[in-house]
């Protein structure tokens, strides 16, 4: 794969994974079904390339091409309620102790909302850090980086733990380096000797012979 | 046989099949033992607003209303200790009645259904 856009996307995912420091998990692809139970231990951030546009007004036919990349950053968080379980399960606990433990029971919706904002905050800190201006790529590789558009979804109505999802976007511009597709093999080039000049009959450039150029002279 | 009587009978058969003993703790901390409860736990799938499906753990306990000393009210904090793993019935797991969800179901059948969620140590 030679697309710099894909390389930059993978680099952004790797950067988040490296700097997550256990605060959330990172995956660079989408999934079809996700177990809410697996999200209780750690929030999950899923990334994918949402779109990659080319601005034709700036990209000349033979000039440098740029991809305006839009990376989807999706948060998946699930949390159950929290309480002093030890007191509730302890046979020796008194009614008063159990009542106190129950009064401090939190709701899954509160815990999940808190966990979602913590994960969002951590991702923002990583992606908007001045040291990560180029996402770890060489200077000048990417430009106009912006992390924005956080949109929180609704709580689902069913299920035990609270589940929250939210989507945000990381946008940046990346310069492409078109290397030439290996599958697109050009035909042999034959040059008219009348245009080449005295002493040279024909020049053939055979790509199938690894760029070997044959010059036939008289 | 009326529909209500049939439903109560079916609930009774389900109870005999499950044979689960659970403990209910009311907001005053009073702990009561119940072996007349049908306790089921399963998983449901649902789609959030966008994106993929979520597979969610959903335990449900159904009690005959007559067996409860008081009926849970909306917004109250209750806990239920139940054996989630049938291989280790002596190990009880704490579940909670989510006070942010309204109590629903069972009213016309003489039973009350409690939707529960897991609880983590605070």
């Amino acid at each position: 794969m030679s697309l710099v856009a894909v390389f930059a996307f993978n680099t952004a995912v790797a950067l988040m994974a490296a700097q997550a420091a256990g605060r959330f998990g990172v995956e660079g692809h989408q999934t079809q079904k996700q177990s809410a139970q697996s999200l209780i231990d750690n929030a999950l951030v899923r990334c994918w390339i949402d779109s990659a546009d080319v601005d034709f007004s700036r990209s000349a036919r033979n000039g440098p091409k740029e991809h305006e990349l839009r990376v989807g950053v999706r948060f998946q968080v699930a949390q159950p309620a929290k309480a002093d379980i030890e007191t509730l399960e302890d046979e020796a606990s008194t009614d008063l102790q159990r009542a106190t433990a129950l009064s401090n029971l939190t709701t899954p919706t509160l815990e999940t909302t808190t966990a979602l904002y913590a994960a969002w905050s951590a991702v923002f800190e990583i992606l908007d850090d001045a040291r990560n201006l180029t996402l770890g790529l060489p200077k000048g590789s990417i430009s106009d980086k912006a992390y924005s558009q956080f949109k929180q979804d609704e709580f689902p109505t069913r299920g035990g733990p609270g589940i929250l999802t939210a989507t945000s976007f990381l946008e940046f511009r990346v310069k492409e380096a078109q290397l030439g597709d290996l599958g697109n093999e050009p035909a042999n080039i034959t040059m008219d000797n009348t245009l080449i000049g005295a002493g040279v009959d024909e020049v053939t450039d055979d790509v199938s012979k690894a760029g070997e150029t044959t010059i036939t002279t008289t | 046989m009326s529909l209500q009587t049939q439903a109560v009978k079916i609930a009774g058969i389900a109870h005999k099949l499950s044979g689960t003993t659970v403990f209910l703790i009311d907001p005053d901390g009073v702990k009561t033992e119940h072996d007349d409860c049908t306790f089921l736990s399963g998983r449901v799938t649902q789609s959030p607003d966008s994106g993929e499906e979520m597979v969610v753990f959903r335990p449900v306990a159904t009690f005959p209303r007559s067996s409860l000393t008081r009926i849970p009210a909306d917004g109250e904090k209750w806990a239920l200790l139940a054996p989630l793993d049938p291989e280790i019935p002596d190990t009880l797991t704490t579940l909670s009645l989510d006070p942010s969800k309204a109590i629903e179901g069972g009213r016309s059948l003489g039973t009350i259904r409690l939707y529960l969620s897991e609880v983590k140590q605070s």
Side-chain angles (χ1 to χ4, degrees), chain A residues 100-162:
Chain A
T100 308
L102 265 181
S103 68
N104 293 326
L105 174 80
T106 59
T107 66
T109 44
L110 170 69
E111 295 293 339
T112 313
T113 307
T114 308
L116 175 68
Y117 295 162
W120 177 34
S121 172
V123 168
F124 175 80
E125 287 295 334
I126 294 170
L127 293 179
D128 249 30
D129 192 314
R131 290 165 293 182
N132 296 332
L133 193 65
T134 60
L135 299 170
L137 291 168
K139 239 179 192 176
S141 307
I142 69 167
S143 58
D144 296 348
K145 183 168 74 70
Y147 175 61
S148 59
Q149 297 181 42
F150 179 84
K151 188 178 182 310
Q152 182 176 324
D153 299 323
E154 296 283 327
F155 268 106
T157 53
R158 297 197 298 169

Side-chain angles (χ1 to χ4, degrees), chain A residues 31-37 39-40 46 74 76 79-86 88-91 95 98-99 102-105 107-109 153-154 156-161 163 165 167, chain B residues 23 25-31 43-59 77-79 81 92-94 96-101 116-122:
Chain A
T31 187
Q32 291 176 305
K33 268 189 182 177
Q34 174 71 47
S35 161
Q37 208 69 16
L39 302 172
I40 289 177
R46 285 194 181 281
R74 185 164 171 78
Q76 295 177 320
Q79 282 295 314
K82 279 186 183 164
D84 184 0
I85 295 177
E86 285 173 12
L88 291 173
E89 293 180 356
D90 189 356
E91 300 260 340
D95 288 358
R98 281 194 291 264
L102 265 181
S103 68
N104 293 326
L105 174 80
T107 66
T109 44
D153 299 323
E154 296 283 327
T157 53
R158 297 197 298 169
I163 299 169
T165 51
T167 310
Chain B
F23 297 89
I25 304 173
D26 70 15
D28 297 327
V30 179
K31 188 175 170 183
R43 289 176 191 274
V44 291
T45 57
Q46 57 190 351
S47 292
D49 290 353
S50 58
E52 59 291 318
E53 284 188 336
M54 284 281 180
V55 184
V56 185
F57 175 58
R58 187 178 71 162
K77 295 174 176 177
W78 288 64
L81 307 181
L92 299 174
T93 304
T94 304
S96 76
L97 192 59
D98 186 350
S100 63
K101 286 183 184 174
L116 304 154
S117 65
E118 281 184 273
V119 186
K120 262 168 74 170
Q121 177 66 38
S122 57

